Amino acid sequence: MAGLMLQGTGSDVGKSVMVAGLCRALVNRGLRVLPFKPQNMSNNAAVTPEGGEIGRAQALQALAARAPLHVDMNPVLLKPQADRTSQLVVHGEVRGTLGSANFREARRTLLPEVMASYRRLEARCDLVVVEGAGSPAEINLRAGDIANMGFAREADVPVVLIGDIDRGGVIASLVGTRAVIEPEDAAQIRGFLINKFRGDPALFADGYAAIEQRSGWRGYGVLPWQSAVGRLPSEDAVVLERGLGGGSGKLLVACPILPRIANFDDLDPLRQESGVEVAMIPPGTPIPAEAALIVLPGSKATLADMAFMRAEGWDIDVLAHHRRGGMILGICGGFQMLGRTIADPLGIEGEPGEMAGLGLLDVTTVLGNRKALREVSGTALGVNLTGYEMHMGVTERDMAAPFAMLDGDRPDGAVDASGRVIGTYCHGLLASTDLRAELLARLGAASDRRDHHAEVDAALNELAAAMEEHLDIDGLLALTEYRP
């Protein structure tokens, strides 16, 4: 029974993928490993077999550890909504909302539940690999912290700090963290890792030594930039800043970046198609007229994001695309936006209200307290699909035909008479090879027919091998209580 925690000097320094890579490396050594994140803030979530939800990063880490998903892997999940509030999910179940005014006080009460989850995981494996959130240098958030040093000290797990050299300033970010945190917190940190290095590591030898000398922490290695990371699902919205694309001669898929976009890794299988280019459209930019497919993604605040679409003029772009004969796919919140109306009478995702949708599907949606969380399988477009549902709305079809028939003869989604407007509650459906191939065929493109899940697994093995080569994993294990 042992634990090791990876924290970072900031967001998007690579904590999630390094935890995943370390899990896979240790599992490949024969250890029983489980991932853990005390508190996550993300609108990208996964459904567990028991019908709960956790952050998708922890789902990837569980895959890396070759372990089934469990709500204990992410006991506290905050899902940002409109108006500076977040839906609070504890042990996989919704427990109301938190606002900026009561967030700090509320999280103090959650530490016992976080520790209970951690102890249960600890009892089931040789080593728990823990991921921090944000940075311990955010000392304005230290009081009542359960995500970084507050948890680390309560659980008495050693911490290794990750610095991202690609963004610059890695020496200052690591040494500066040592300078601003409490001495007791600094004592919990036993070392550091350098991530995303490009070029000759020998050129950084002096900088590496300077960090060790100025921080008093030991270095555990420098991980070169890993292209395999680009084949892994990402939880951080920073990846949405990938540019517009276009001009490649490939089939163009466009997806608007909504303020509360959720589960945008639904698009990852399309990104891996050699004949497809996925363009994430930022605010202030029209949806390209040359797009063959527009994907309206999931949303954590459907009414607010629908209003944002109108303010951006994206509703005009979508309707024009439809008039030109283009195809539109709406997933979850995007499905709701394609309908005639969306109502939130209880104020589930913000202020109570009702709003007209795009009117492209003959459906109406009412949001309610009950949340659908389940893995699903069935057929659509004449082929098999698998995925998962995660939504709080109930959508009624009038004259529209269902898009899919799920196991148990349960209809899902809707499709218009032309077959060019599709709405579904099935997240993850594009990972189904046959369905993705059929969708692309209807757009006049051929699929590479790669197994998306196998591609992700191979990328995890590649990342683990690189970490074995470049990092002192034996030294990291020596920090823990694990003894073979």
Side-chain angles (χ1 to χ4, degrees):
M1 295 184 294
L4 176 68
M5 188 173 195
L6 301 187
Q7 296 184 16
T9 58
S11 296
D12 198 42
V13 301
K15 296 185 295 292
S16 295
V17 295
M18 290 195 81
V19 167
L22 184 58
C23 284
R24 177 55 61 90
L26 296 175
V27 166
N28 285 347
R29 287 185 173 204
L31 276 69
R32 297 173 302 151
V33 181
L34 292 174
F36 181 71
K37 184 160 186 170
Q39 173 196 297
N40 202 347
M41 178 174 280
S42 176
N43 278 334
N44 286 349
V47 174
T48 65
E50 70 268 33
E53 59 179 311
I54 60 175
R56 287 210 67 76
Q58 282 61 69
L60 175 66
Q61 292 158 3
L63 174 66
R66 299 192 176 99
L69 277 61
H70 195 279
V71 294
D72 280 338
M73 294 173 177
N74 178 205
V76 178
L77 175 62
L78 299 173
K79 307 185 78 173
Q81 298 180 160
D83 301 324
R84 292 184 291 185
T85 62
S86 293
Q87 183 183 78
L88 172 64
V89 179
V90 180
H91 290 147
E93 297 182 356
V94 176
R95 195 181 285 184
T97 59
L98 291 180
S100 55
N102 65 342
F103 168 66
R104 291 192 183 187
E105 186 59 33
R107 67 179 179 172
R108 296 174 192 268
T109 67
L110 296 171
L111 183 58
E113 296 185 85
V114 166
M115 290 304 303
S117 285
Y118 175 71
R119 295 304 182 197
R120 285 192 291 267
L121 293 183
E122 190 181 42
R124 292 170 45 203
C125 65
D126 297 318
L127 181 69
V128 181
V129 184
V130 186
E131 179 190 346
S135 168
E138 295 162 348
I139 55 176
N140 55 306
L141 301 177
R142 178 61 180 88
D145 169 61
I146 62 173
N148 287 307
M149 298 312 304
F151 166 80
R153 287 175 59 181
E154 181 71 17
D156 193 24
V157 295
V159 175
V160 174
L161 194 62
I162 300 171
D164 177 0
I165 197 169
D166 188 59
R167 65 176 61 188
V170 72
I171 297 174
S173 65
L174 286 163
V175 176
T177 297
R178 175 66 178 83
V180 301
I181 62 177
E182 300 172 4
E184 294 83 1
D185 287 351
Q188 201 72 32
I189 299 176
R190 310 297 170 80
F192 66 89
L193 294 167
I194 303 297
N195 193 25
K196 305 181 189 178
F197 189 87
R198 301 176 191 258
D200 182 0
L203 298 176
F204 187 62
D206 290 345
Y208 191 87
I211 296 170
E212 290 189 315
Q213 189 273 323
R214 291 170 183 263
S215 70
W217 297 327
R218 177 192 160 184
Y220 284 88
V222 177
L223 185 67
W225 182 276
Q226 297 297 308
S227 60
V229 173
R231 306 200 303 275
L232 297 175
S234 177
E235 185 185 41
D236 202 310
V238 173
V239 303
L240 299 178
E241 301 168 4
R242 290 178 173 172
L244 294 180
S248 65
K250 300 179 180 180
L251 183 139
L252 183 61
V253 176
C255 176
I257 303 175
L258 303 170
R260 291 293 178 262
I261 188 171
N263 289 46
F264 49 80
D265 62 317
D266 281 337
L267 292 162
D268 285 354
L270 288 177
R271 292 183 187 278
Q272 294 177 2
E273 293 281 356
S274 62
V276 175
E277 180 165 2
V278 176
M280 303 302 296
I281 311 302
T285 304
I287 298 174
E290 62 270 27
L293 171 66
I294 294 177
V295 177
L296 300 184
S299 167
K300 192 64 197 69
T302 308
L303 269 73
D305 277 352
M306 185 71 241
F308 186 85
M309 280 191 65
R310 288 202 167 94
E312 288 292 314
W314 284 336
D315 59 328
I316 297 171
D317 295 340
V318 172
L319 294 174
H321 174 81
H322 177 250
R323 288 194 300 271
R324 291 192 297 267
M327 183 173 284
I328 304 163
L329 171 63
I331 302 174
C332 201
F335 167 36
Q336 295 170 350
M337 294 178 193
L338 288 172
R340 290 190 281 111
T341 60
I342 313 156
D344 187 2
L346 303 178
I348 299 297
E349 296 183 344
E351 290 296 320
E354 181 173 329
M355 184 177 297
L358 293 167
L360 295 177
L361 288 175
D362 196 12
V363 301
T364 57
T365 298
V366 178
L367 303 183
N369 282 317
R370 184 179 178 185
K371 192 166 195 175
L373 290 166
R374 54 193 165 220
E375 297 175 331
V376 298
S377 59
T379 59
L381 305 182
V383 297
N384 294 330
L385 70 84
T386 60
Y388 62 96
E389 290 184 28
M390 180 181 294
H391 62 92
M392 299 189 79
V394 175
T395 300
E396 298 288 343
R397 283 180 305 277
D398 291 331
M399 299 301 293
F403 163 66
M405 289 301 298
L406 304 180
D407 291 349
D409 292 326
R410 187 166 61 88
D412 164 75
V415 60
D416 75 342
S418 71
R420 293 184 290 106
V421 181
I422 296 170
T424 178
Y425 274 124
C426 290
H427 288 289
L429 78 165
L430 294 174
S432 299
T433 303
D434 290 343
L435 185 135
R436 188 174 68 254
E438 179 62 27
L439 181 67
L440 290 177
R442 296 186 182 205
L443 292 166
S447 170
D448 298 329
R449 298 193 63 85
R450 294 174 181 162
D451 183 326
H452 177 68
H453 301 295
E455 292 278 321
V456 170
D457 197 66
L460 286 168
N461 280 329
E462 187 177 326
L463 175 62
M467 293 179 72
E468 284 279 13
E469 178 181 358
H470 297 284
L471 305 183
D472 182 5
I473 293 182
D474 288 335
L476 294 174
L477 277 175
L479 293 174
T480 75
E481 296 177 4
Y482 171 74
R483 298 295 181 266

